Amino acid sequence: MPEDRKFDLKKIDNLDSPERAARFDVDGIMSQLPLKPHHVVAEIGCGTGFFTIPLSRRLPQGRVIALDILEEMLERVRSKVEKEGATNVETLLCGETELPLEPNSVDGVFLAFLLHEMEDRADFLERVRGHLRPGGWVGILEWVKKETGMGPPLNIRIDPDEGRELAVRAGLRVVGGKAISENFYMIVLENRSADQANNTLP
């Protein structure tokens, strides 16, 4: 991963700041995901676990597999899991593109502010698709491609149309999505064959 796309660990505390929390309607974001109580969901690029606990609460018969390339992030997640008393969260160290998941092993994948960090985004989504069960889903949360005074550089942000294109190239079907705020948007994808695809957002 190019240096300009990597998260600066000096800013790790910002990920759990009250200011950041105030930017997100977590319930609204979770409601966009086609979660079912028994689902196994891989949260790739989980960071400090900002969304990990909210996901775990919605999967009482399922579990969250929280993956990150940095052990420092996973340590924060484990601390939150222990504090919450959550028993359905597993943490795994992963590579930048290599994921320690079995093929066809998860019902859903959540990518929060991760896809823009990938150098080959279509290839990454294809790899993600390989771990999905038939009919599985991917939820992508990303920054809008405009100056917001915060967040990643404009040149690496992904326009929603580009995100939809990447999904099609990876063999995924766009089944939902909407603006989350003036700064963020969501795309929801489904693991379907190309001939079933209807790549228009409702």
Side-chain angles (χ1 to χ4, degrees):
M1 187 183 298
E3 287 298 323
D4 66 347
R5 296 175 188 248
K6 290 184 177 179
F7 180 79
D8 183 356
L9 266 178
K10 294 176 184 174
K11 300 178 180 178
I12 190 170
D13 289 333
N14 294 346
L15 296 178
D16 289 316
S17 69
E19 293 79 12
R20 185 172 191 252
R23 294 182 201 133
F24 296 102
D25 173 8
V26 175
D27 287 338
I29 291 169
M30 294 290 108
S31 72
Q32 297 299 308
L33 302 175
L35 293 166
K36 294 185 178 179
H38 63 276
H39 276 178
V40 176
V41 176
E43 184 191 6
I44 304 173
C46 62
T48 60
F50 185 86
F51 293 106
T52 306
I53 298 302
L55 277 170
S56 73
R57 291 171 181 160
R58 289 162 174 79
L59 302 169
Q61 288 88 49
R63 63 191 175 105
V64 180
I65 306 172
L67 302 101
D68 205 277
I69 64 172
L70 297 172
E71 182 61 33
E72 294 92 338
M73 297 291 194
L74 297 178
E75 287 174 5
R76 298 281 185 113
V77 176
R78 294 181 195 115
S79 176
K80 290 180 180 178
V81 167
E82 183 178 359
K83 184 177 180 179
E84 174 76 9
T87 59
N88 61 343
V89 178
E90 178 183 2
T91 58
L92 291 176
L93 193 67
C94 66
E96 292 179 357
T97 57
E98 297 301 322
L99 305 171
L101 299 169
E102 294 296 321
N104 307 314
S105 62
V106 298
D107 300 291
V109 173
F110 186 48
L111 307 173
F113 309 116
L114 178 71
L115 191 59
H116 71 266
E117 295 184 356
M118 297 294 114
E119 190 167 11
D120 190 335
R121 294 156 175 174
D123 177 73
F124 178 70
L125 285 178
E126 285 182 23
R127 289 171 183 265
V128 166
R129 184 188 178 209
H131 299 292
L132 284 174
R133 292 171 179 152
W137 55 268
V138 180
I140 298 174
L141 182 62
E142 273 294 342
W143 295 83
V144 297
K145 193 162 187 174
K146 69 176 185 181
E147 292 293 350
T148 56
M150 57 186 172
L154 187 62
N155 67 303
I156 66 170
R157 298 189 186 201
I158 302 171
D159 182 88
D161 287 339
E162 181 185 353
R164 289 188 282 267
E165 255 181 54
L166 291 167
V168 173
R169 286 167 56 191
L172 296 160
R173 178 190 179 205
V174 180
V175 294
K178 62 180 289 186
I180 299 299
S181 72
E182 61 181 10
N183 295 323
F184 316 111
Y185 67 90
M186 176 86 81
I187 298 175
V188 180
L189 314 172
E190 190 174 44
N191 186 19
R192 292 285 187 89
S193 61
D195 62 335
Q196 294 173 302
N198 172 15
N199 295 291
T200 302
L201 284 181

